Amino acid sequence: MTDYFYLLYEAECKERINLAFVMDMSSSITAKNYPKQKDFIKRVADTFSISETQTDVGVITYNREAKLWISFGQYNNNNEFKDAVDKIPYWGGQTRIDNGLEMAAVSLFGELKGGREKLPNVLILLTDGQQSSDLKATPLEEAVVPLFQLGVKVFAVGVGDQFSRDELRLIVEKDRDIFTVNDFDDLLTKSHEIARTACDAAESKCLRGVA
C-alpha cells in the first residue's frame, strides 16, 4: 500500500454532505479498468463517515442509458456501501454523460428531504471519453443546469487522453473543478487529492451558511 492510502484515512473529512458519484460504464472503460474506477469511488467515500446523520453517498452509472445503483440513505456505513459498489456490473456501451447528469438531479439530489436538503451537495463525474453523438442527447451545458439549480458542486475527472476538456468545462463552474489523470492507475493515486477538494468545497459551503 502507498502512503496515499494511509493519508486518505488520516485526512478524514468531518463535513456532513450529500455526495454522488456518476461513473462511466461505456465500452472504452474496458472490463479491466472498470474495477479501478470502483476502487477510486470507495477510496474517496472512505474520506467521509457514511451514516444516517453524517454523509449520504449515491452512485449512478451511464452508458447509453443511466442507472441508479445506490440511493442516498440506502447504506448507513462505509463497509456496506463499498460492498454494494463492488457488486455494480460492467455492461459497456455508449458514453451519454448527459443521461448521468440528468439522473443525478432527478433521482438523487432532487429526492432530498428534511434536514439533508440543507447540507452541501457534491457530485464527482468520471469519464475516459467524449459524449456520444446522438440526436436524442441533451447538450451538456443544458443537462447540468438542474444540478446547479439544486446547489450541487460538480467536479469532473477525465481519465486518459480521449476525453474532451472543453466538454468537461461545460459541466463545472470553474476550470479548477476539472481533474485530469493519465490512466486508471493514476486515478487511484489522485483519490486523496480529489477527496480533499470535495471536502473543502463542502466546508466552504457550510461557512457560507448552506448547512
Side-chain angles (χ1 to χ4, degrees):
M1 295 183 183
T2 66
D3 289 339
Y4 259 122
F5 187 78
Y6 291 109
L7 281 170
L8 191 63
Y9 288 91
E10 291 171 3
E12 182 181 18
C13 182
K14 305 298 182 183
E15 299 301 329
R16 300 169 59 225
I17 74 170
N18 304 308
L19 173 63
F21 294 95
V22 179
M23 182 168 58
D24 192 342
M25 192 193 265
S26 64
S27 296
S28 59
I29 294 293
T30 74
K32 176 184 176 181
N33 287 320
Y34 191 65
K36 297 175 184 178
Q37 198 175 188
K38 294 196 286 186
D39 287 343
F40 166 82
I41 289 175
K42 292 185 293 182
R43 289 192 185 185
V44 172
D46 259 340
T47 311
F48 302 85
S49 177
I50 300 173
S51 74
E52 186 175 350
T53 58
Q54 293 297 313
T55 289
D56 270 350
V57 185
V59 178
I60 286 170
T61 60
Y62 66 91
N63 46 15
R64 186 181 67 177
E65 308 290 341
K67 182 173 176 59
L68 175 65
W69 292 95
I70 301 176
S71 302
F72 285 150
Q74 187 171 347
Y75 297 103
N76 290 320
N77 66 68
N78 291 62
N79 287 333
E80 289 183 357
F81 170 78
K82 290 187 290 185
D83 287 343
V85 170
D86 282 334
K87 294 174 183 176
I88 299 174
Y90 173 67
W91 292 337
Q94 294 181 322
T95 307
R96 286 288 302 278
I97 297 171
D98 60 313
N99 285 334
L101 295 172
E102 291 173 341
M103 177 164 280
V106 173
S107 301
L108 284 177
F109 297 104
E111 290 293 312
L112 292 170
K113 296 181 176 63
R116 299 219 67 91
E117 291 180 284
K118 300 178 181 179
L119 298 181
N121 297 321
V122 176
L123 180 148
I124 299 175
L125 179 137
L126 300 105
T127 188
D128 77 336
Q130 300 180 36
Q131 170 90 337
S132 294
S133 179
D134 190 326
L135 293 176
K136 296 180 180 179
T138 304
L140 293 180
E141 63 270 28
E142 297 177 16
V144 77
V145 168
L147 289 168
F148 289 157
Q149 291 175 335
L150 290 166
V152 180
K153 178 67 176 179
V154 178
F155 294 101
V157 183
V159 183
D161 59 6
Q162 297 301 308
F163 70 90
S164 168
R165 188 181 183 93
D166 289 341
E167 273 192 352
L168 297 185
R169 186 62 184 85
L170 296 173
I171 66 171
V172 298
E173 295 176 89
K174 301 176 181 178
D175 196 59
R176 65 170 179 259
D177 297 333
I178 300 172
F179 294 88
T180 61
V181 297
N182 295 326
D183 51 37
F184 283 94
D185 292 322
D186 192 29
L187 176 66
L188 295 178
T189 65
K190 293 285 179 64
S191 58
H192 172 256
E193 176 187 349
I194 296 169
R196 288 307 312 171
T197 303
C199 183
D200 291 344
E203 181 180 8
S204 176
K205 287 195 173 187
C206 287
L207 291 174
R208 295 200 304 268
V210 174

